[in-house]
């Protein structure tokens, strides 16, 4: 038996806009320099990944990534400074919540 903590952020309409999926997507972009490659590594369609990013950016009010269209020299994506900051805060908050859950689990069970 175990207790699981999942951290998701909801918008004003109670709709999820950020959680582990978008977090993994952003870490993949950071690693590969490509939204398409990050989405593909997660088994996700590029269009779905783009929709997820645009929704999160709309709610947050700032861009998470900077995207450059493909062409002769190819395209790519990278995290913006605000995107890096948001991602870091999300991961620290998530980890703190999970640690608190572990402590409480041991206390109660």
């Amino acid at each position: 038996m175990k207790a699981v903590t999942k951290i998701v952020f909801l918008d004003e309409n109670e709709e999820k806009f950020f959680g582990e999926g978008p977090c993994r997507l952003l870490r993949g972009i950071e690693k590969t320099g490509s939204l398409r490659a990050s989405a593909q590594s997660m088994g996700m369609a590029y269009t779905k990944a783009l929709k997820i990013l645009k929704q999160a950016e709309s709610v947050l009010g700032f861009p998470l990534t900077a995207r450059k269209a493909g062409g002769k020299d190819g395209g790519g994506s990278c995290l913006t400074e605000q995107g890096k900051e948001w991602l870091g805060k999300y991961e620290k908050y998530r980890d703190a919540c999970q640690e608190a859950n572990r402590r409480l689990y041991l206390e109660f069970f």
Side-chain angles (χ1 to χ4, degrees):
M1 176 172 71
K2 67 180 179 177
V4 178
T5 301
K6 293 185 180 188
I7 302 301
V8 296
F9 285 84
L10 307 178
D11 64 17
E12 64 278 347
N13 297 319
E14 301 286 317
E15 293 183 26
K16 179 181 168 183
F17 76 90
F18 202 88
E20 276 307 299
C23 176
R24 286 182 48 220
L25 186 63
L26 290 174
R27 283 296 175 208
I29 291 169
E30 193 172 51
K31 180 180 176 183
T32 65
S34 167
L35 174 58
R36 187 174 303 280
S38 181
Q40 190 173 34
S41 74
M42 294 174 65
M44 182 186 303
Y46 172 81
T47 53
K48 181 176 180 180
L50 188 57
K51 180 180 176 185
I52 287 169
L53 279 184
K54 286 185 176 194
Q55 179 185 13
E57 290 173 340
S58 174
V59 173
L60 293 169
F62 57 84
L64 295 168
T65 62
R67 296 178 285 278
K68 182 178 133 189
K72 178 177 90 157
D73 299 321
S77 294
C78 64
L79 300 186
T80 62
E81 287 305 314
Q82 287 176 306
K84 290 176 187 176
E85 185 179 339
W86 166 260
L87 186 57
K89 286 180 180 180
Y90 169 80
E91 289 175 328
K92 285 179 185 175
Y93 179 71
R94 175 204 61 201
D95 294 348
C97 289
Q98 289 173 342
E99 179 56 34
N101 179 39
R102 280 190 281 279
R103 285 193 312 271
L104 290 168
Y105 178 82
L106 291 173
E107 181 180 331
F108 287 94
F109 300 99

